[in-house]
Amino acid sequence: MRLHYWTYEGPAHVGACRVGTSIPGVHTVLHAPGGDSYTSVLFTMIDRQCGFPSVTNVSYGRKEVSTTGVDRMMTVVEQVERTHKPRVIQVIPTCTSNLLKEDVGGALNRLQTTCDAKLLFLQLNAFCEKEDQGADMTFAGLVEYLATGTGERTPEPTVNILGLTSLGFRHRDDLREITQLLNQCGVRVNAALPFGGTAADFQRLGQAWFNVVPYAEIGLRAAKVLENRFGQPYLVHAPIGIQATQEFIELVQARVEELGGRPARFHPRPETMSRVPWYSRSADSHYLTPKRSFVFGVASHALAVARMMEEEIGMRPLAVGTFSYEHAPAFLDECTRRGWAGFYSDDFKEVERRIADAMPDIVLGTQMERHSARRHELPATVISCPAHVTDFPARYSPFAGWEGANVIFDAVTHTLTLGLESHLIDMFRELPGIEHDSVLGAVRLPDLPPSPSPMSRDEDIPAEPRTEQRGATSAVASTPAAVSTPAAAAVVTPPATEAPGGEWSGEPRWTDEALAELKKIPFFVRKKAMHNTEKYAREHGLREILPQTIHATRDELSRK
């Protein structure tokens, strides 16, 4: 089993905790040693839940591992029932407890006779299943165990929203947005689980006309259980983006009509529901069209955001990837159908290499891709879990529906606009008489010396050495104070690319004129321009890069 400092998904029991903490009346008991008790931190510090999550660790120690681990677990379950009085207690093993091969299920069956709460043991394989799989399997297990209603459907059209959980990327706000979309279609929400419902809602799941699964990673197994038990059809569609939201509305109304209901015939104009259609056609957004994006994340979000980037914002994806193992085949098929370069990877280092090779104008990914893009001086924004606490805002900020399209559009344009503002600051910084700001200054080129500090301004340099510096390049190289001046930076010779024996190493050499031309390019695309120019020079066997080489590279890329 590979171990990483960073992983895109946690183990299966983290997904089980996400489901349990989303449902009031359900308490999760982790049958685990003390080292696996980090789940509370995830929900209180990242998800910003009000109050502590309904998770309790058995936390048996070294002595109990070989003797009384199950007895300790039974004691904790009894304490949880007395203290919290939940309707359901689900016991989840972790990877360590899986190795012990303890009869936890048999112990819970014996304990059920003395407990008022329903006890449920979910045997998750922590070595094969990851976080989303664990959440999906846990929710399906709860549905299979607790959904015991008659299945008599409501008189008016109703649906169940399945799969939104705590620690899901904007799931809290997506639930509100999707509920509004359904209400506009004349459909009422019968139950929303895990997030948005209670343990009592499981008994009326069978009353809905059909089920809606916004994101296939969590909720699809539960929808299939309800289909087999109550004959309920289900709809899997992520309403992320203007066109996907319109399709969601059409699919919901078509399903209501198929089941014998009267749909609301809601056919909105996108311009009246979201600002994105107007903004994307305005002159202010024309600078987005020639740019290229790199999209990576959970399968449903990566596909939906890539589609929005290409069809609604005008930034064609250079590559679209996912770490969702279960949904990778369908993901790659959809990428092939749309003509995208799709890929699957759960190694963040491989994803970073792909970003470095593509050098896109913007990266849309997880928290890891934000770090990777920063190392390559590329703008980035987060569109999928795993995410940082800053990606769980206290304000209303959905990703689904009409308002979600506004949020995504703002995230893309603001990320690029801030780079433009920094470039303007850099331009004014280079005017004569303006001091350099070490915080707001331009990003240095790898071939240029460090930017001048406030201690090396012109007034601090004697008059005679300054005259010598302007007269000869050798004086610049020999005087430490002169190296840090702006005049010296323009004449510094780039590092040699000749091999020790005098043979050409194959790497092109930047001339001073080309470096001066490169500095005219905004800093937030300068590294990409350098990368593309060097690639062009290598492909055409050029030993030196001239200003004409930069222009030829630009012309060639514009024709692609």
Side-chain angles (χ1 to χ4, degrees):
M1 182 178 180
R2 291 190 306 168
L3 297 178
H4 289 295
Y5 290 108
W6 282 356
T7 57
Y8 286 107
E9 293 184 88
H13 71 268
V14 174
C17 292
R18 286 176 56 184
V19 172
T21 56
S22 303
I23 309 170
V26 176
H27 198 98
T28 303
V29 173
L30 281 181
H31 184 48
D36 291 337
S37 59
Y38 59 87
T39 52
S40 295
V41 178
L42 295 175
F43 297 101
T44 55
M45 295 185 65
I46 296 181
D47 200 23
R48 291 176 172 176
Q49 288 189 0
C50 299
F52 290 98
S54 54
V55 179
T56 300
N57 279 73
V58 176
S59 298
Y60 51 87
R62 181 178 57 184
K63 295 181 180 179
E64 292 90 349
V65 166
S66 58
T67 56
T68 60
V70 174
D71 295 338
R72 172 67 177 157
M73 181 270 299
M74 296 174 66
T75 302
V76 171
V77 170
E78 292 174 342
Q79 292 174 349
V80 166
E81 186 187 29
R82 288 195 304 267
T83 304
H84 301 282
K85 295 180 173 53
R87 296 172 64 99
V88 180
I89 300 177
Q90 60 173 359
V91 179
I92 308 296
T94 62
C95 53
T96 307
S97 57
N98 275 333
L99 293 174
L100 301 179
K101 303 296 183 182
E102 298 171 316
D103 186 17
V104 178
L108 289 178
N109 290 335
R110 296 191 300 269
L111 189 61
Q112 182 67 79
T113 58
T114 60
C115 288
D116 294 331
K118 293 183 179 181
L119 305 182
L120 180 62
F121 174 65
L122 299 173
Q123 184 65 52
L124 301 177
N125 190 330
F127 297 99
C128 298
E129 290 135 11
K130 297 183 180 180
E131 182 176 334
D132 285 345
Q133 290 176 280
D136 196 26
M137 296 173 68
T138 300
F139 183 42
L142 288 172
V143 169
E144 189 168 5
Y145 187 72
L146 301 175
T148 57
T150 60
E152 182 179 356
R153 73 182 194 180
T154 58
E156 69 281 358
T158 58
V159 299
N160 298 319
I161 301 177
L162 306 179
L164 303 182
T165 70
S166 58
L167 266 183
F169 192 77
R170 311 291 174 86
H171 283 194
R172 175 192 61 197
D173 298 334
D174 284 355
L175 174 60
R176 175 177 162 187
E177 193 70 20
I178 294 172
T179 301
Q180 292 177 357
L181 291 175
L182 292 170
N183 291 338
Q184 290 171 341
C185 298
V187 179
R188 184 173 58 85
V189 176
N190 177 65
L193 288 168
F195 194 85
T198 64
D201 292 337
F202 281 94
Q203 295 184 354
R204 56 191 183 91
L205 283 174
Q207 299 176 8
W209 287 34
F210 61 97
N211 297 305
V212 172
V213 183
Y215 310 124
E217 291 79 17
I218 304 175
L220 187 55
R221 283 186 173 90
K224 293 179 179 179
V225 170
L226 293 172
E227 183 182 40
N228 294 333
R229 180 168 299 180
F230 303 112
Q232 291 175 332
Y234 59 87
L235 170 63
V236 182
H237 189 80
I240 298 178
I242 297 297
Q243 297 188 40
T245 300
Q246 285 185 299
E247 292 173 358
F248 179 81
I249 292 173
E250 293 170 0
L251 290 171
V252 168
Q253 295 187 116
R255 188 57 55 88
V256 171
E257 190 171 6
E258 290 175 5
L259 297 175
R262 298 181 61 183
R265 305 296 181 187
F266 177 60
H267 301 290
R269 293 178 56 199
E271 292 81 0
T272 63
M273 308 303 296
S274 172
R275 296 179 177 89
V276 172
W278 187 88
Y279 282 151
S280 61
R281 294 196 303 265
S282 65
D284 293 337
S285 296
H286 286 178
Y287 74 96
L288 297 174
T289 304
K291 297 184 181 299
R292 298 294 180 262
S293 59
F294 184 98
V295 185
F296 186 86
V298 69
S300 56
H301 283 65
L303 285 176
V305 172
R307 178 186 177 185
M308 183 178 178
M309 294 296 292
E310 180 178 44
E311 298 180 357
E312 299 169 24
I313 299 180
M315 298 177 62
R316 180 168 178 79
L318 293 173
V320 184
T322 185
F323 57 84
S324 302
Y325 175 78
E326 271 193 310
H327 303 275
F331 177 90
L332 296 177
D333 289 344
E334 180 66 15
C335 288
T336 302
R337 189 181 72 84
R338 293 184 175 273
W340 298 334
F343 69 95
Y344 162 80
S345 178
D346 61 352
D347 184 353
F348 71 94
K349 286 294 185 182
E350 179 187 348
V351 179
E352 181 179 352
R353 286 192 293 270
R354 289 178 178 267
I355 293 174
D357 292 339
M359 291 300 289
D361 297 289
I362 186 172
V363 176
L364 301 101
T366 71
Q367 174 68 12
M368 299 182 191
E369 280 65 57
R370 178 156 57 188
H371 289 299
S372 299
R374 188 171 298 170
R375 281 193 287 271
H376 296 281
E377 300 172 8
L378 297 172
T381 188
V382 175
I383 53 97
S384 168
C385 282
H388 194 261
V389 61
T390 56
D391 302 304
F392 290 85
R395 68 185 185 279
Y396 182 64
S397 183
F399 245 52
W402 308 114
E403 187 60 29
N406 293 335
V407 171
I408 297 173
F409 186 83
D410 283 347
V412 172
T413 55
H414 291 178
T415 302
L416 296 172
T417 302
L418 290 177
L420 179 60
E421 292 173 354
S422 298
H423 174 59
L424 295 177
I425 294 173
D426 183 47
M427 288 174 58
F428 286 111
R429 196 270 305 173
E430 293 178 353
L431 291 176
I434 303 297
E435 296 182 3
H436 170 69
D437 189 315
S438 59
V439 176
L440 301 178
V443 176
R444 291 195 311 272
L445 296 174
D447 300 307
L448 295 180
S451 300
S453 63
M455 296 300 296
S456 59
R457 293 176 297 187
D458 289 346
E459 58 267 24
D460 296 328
I461 303 175
E464 294 182 359
R466 187 185 304 124
T467 304
E468 296 174 0
Q469 293 158 11
R470 293 174 180 173
T473 305
S474 59
V476 174
S478 61
T479 307
V483 175
S484 61
T485 63
V491 294
V492 169
T493 303
T497 59
E498 299 293 331
E503 298 180 358
W504 182 42
S505 64
E507 289 296 322
R509 173 185 175 276
W510 285 84
T511 62
D512 295 340
E513 295 80 5
L515 287 175
E517 186 72 15
L518 188 65
K519 286 199 66 177
K520 299 177 182 178
I521 300 175
F523 84 92
F524 50 88
V525 292
R526 191 178 297 165
K527 189 169 184 179
K528 180 179 179 180
M530 173 180 281
H531 172 85
N532 291 335
T533 305
E534 291 175 348
K535 182 179 177 181
Y536 176 89
R538 284 192 294 268
E539 291 175 350
H540 292 77
L542 303 179
R543 295 196 175 197
E544 286 191 342
I545 295 177
L546 304 172
Q548 294 84 345
T549 312
I550 300 177
H551 302 157
T553 304
R554 180 193 59 197
D555 295 340
E556 181 176 284
L557 292 175
S558 65
R559 291 192 295 267
K560 291 183 178 180

